[in-house]
Amino acid sequence: MDNQTSALLINCAKYFPEEYLPAIRQTIEEIGPQRAQQALAMEYKDPTVALILSLICFLGISGIDRFYIGDIGLGVGKLITGGGCGIWSLIDLFLIMGATKEKNYQKFMQNVSYF
């Protein structure tokens, strides 16, 4: 792996699940750093922002955290049920960062297939 590939991987690591980083490294090497840079230049959701949205009680209950990462159906579900009477919102405090990273990985793989 060359320095450019390493730099791309280091810059994007916080947006993706750790277990997928070897697969991302392999994808970057297969498609080349130029095409990978285009795919990584897409806007990815920050897991920390999703957690902050989930932490703010009103926004967590209203589903804003799920709307932020693109889970429209789950966001509507949280909105209608008041965050599952608060239980769903509490669970999302632990799951939202992983869900955000998973969505980012899916978006990356989708972007790679277009290039």
Side-chain angles (χ1 to χ4, degrees):
M1 179 168 52
D2 63 7
N3 289 336
Q4 189 174 12
T5 305
S6 296
L8 286 172
L9 192 59
I10 289 169
N11 288 336
C12 74
K14 79 173 191 170
Y15 295 108
F16 302 106
E18 285 184 38
E19 62 268 17
Y20 293 140
L21 291 179
I24 292 171
R25 175 182 291 128
Q26 181 179 356
T27 302
I28 290 171
E29 290 174 350
E30 288 174 2
I31 66 172
Q34 198 78 335
R35 287 177 52 203
Q37 191 169 17
Q38 290 173 338
L40 291 170
M42 304 300 286
E43 184 177 325
Y44 294 102
K45 302 297 182 182
D46 191 339
T48 307
V49 172
L51 178 62
I52 291 169
L53 290 173
S54 196
L55 279 172
I56 300 171
C57 183
F58 173 71
L59 296 176
I61 290 174
S62 64
I64 298 296
D65 52 350
R66 289 295 179 164
F67 286 118
Y68 172 72
I69 67 171
D71 281 340
I72 305 302
L74 294 177
V76 170
K78 279 181 82 172
L79 180 62
I80 291 171
T81 64
C85 295
I87 296 170
W88 189 353
S89 296
L90 181 64
I91 292 170
D92 258 354
L93 289 176
F94 299 98
L95 300 180
I96 196 68
M97 288 184 75
T100 305
K101 290 179 179 186
E102 184 67 36
K103 285 283 190 176
N104 286 338
Y105 177 72
Q106 292 171 1
K107 186 176 181 178
F108 170 75
M109 293 308 286
Q110 192 175 37
N111 290 337
V112 166
S113 68
Y114 288 130
F115 293 110

